[in-house]
Amino acid sequence: MALAGPILAGCGTPVEGRAVPAPRSSTAGASPELVRWMNNYCGVANYLIASGGVQFPQPEGDPAALKKAFSDSLGRVEDVLEVALHDLDELTPAPQPAADTAVEVIAGPLGRARDKFVSAKSTVDGAPELTADVFSSVMQDLTEAVTVMNEAVEKLDVVSLPDEFKDAGEQAENCAR
């Protein structure tokens, strides 16, 4: 606003009529920066939805093929979570500190979930074959990963963002419901 004074100083020509405020809706005032931020924020939710669609093979069939398919599925979930965490990291610093807090609240559980998927994949890749013990260890990591992913999704649903962010979300393509 400090620049407005010098720039407007030469604009002293009177204009007939009177000032009338422009009509405003709750979404009309959302800045492009907030819309971009919300678009990226909602994009994380889309990544989480994509990770839920990864299919894991059933523990039957050719052991070598099962091991590879299981490792590939774990790798896909790991990749999706890496993208989500990267995108969350790119959202900070947010236009307002309250939004930084929202990112931190979600990133923590997502990071823990990713670490569990990495551990499960490492166990599968390091085993000569998928024995009952290996499968049990992997399933424990997967159970923990899903639990913390659910925690992140729950936090995504209840995290509180300032009203102007919610208004911007109405204009953001990734936030369309």
Side-chain angles (χ1 to χ4, degrees):
M1 287 302 199
L3 289 175
I7 292 172
L8 296 177
C11 299
T13 308
V15 177
E16 294 200 10
R18 62 186 173 96
V20 177
R24 291 179 37 142
S25 72
S26 63
T27 59
S31 74
E33 178 185 14
L34 286 181
V35 172
R36 180 197 56 77
W37 193 93
M38 281 303 297
N39 194 55
N40 292 340
Y41 181 79
C42 291
V44 171
N46 294 340
Y47 288 128
L48 294 177
I49 291 167
S51 70
V54 173
Q55 298 292 318
F56 286 88
Q58 298 299 320
E60 56 187 63
D62 176 32
L66 176 64
K67 180 182 173 191
K68 180 178 178 347
F70 211 67
S71 177
D72 291 348
S73 295
L74 290 167
R76 282 190 294 278
V77 174
E78 182 183 332
D79 290 346
V80 167
L81 290 174
E82 282 294 332
V83 170
L85 288 165
H86 172 269
D87 287 359
L88 282 170
D89 188 50
E90 292 291 311
L91 291 173
T92 57
Q96 291 185 15
D100 282 336
T101 302
V103 169
E104 291 169 14
V105 162
I106 296 163
L110 282 182
R112 291 192 306 276
R114 185 240 5 247
D115 293 347
K116 288 296 178 180
F117 280 107
V118 168
S119 175
K121 184 172 180 350
S122 177
T123 299
V124 168
D125 291 347
E129 60 183 37
L130 284 181
T131 64
D133 288 341
V134 170
F135 192 74
S136 176
S137 175
V138 168
M139 290 312 293
Q140 182 173 346
D141 278 338
L142 290 179
T143 299
E144 292 174 24
V146 169
T147 299
V148 292
M149 278 188 72
N150 285 336
E151 179 185 329
V153 170
E154 288 170 6
K155 288 181 178 188
L156 191 62
D157 287 340
V158 299
V159 74
S160 180
L161 290 170
D163 287 341
E164 52 271 18
F165 282 76
K166 294 174 189 171
D167 292 343
E170 293 176 12
Q171 297 176 33
E173 183 178 323
N174 283 336
C175 299
R177 301 213 186 258

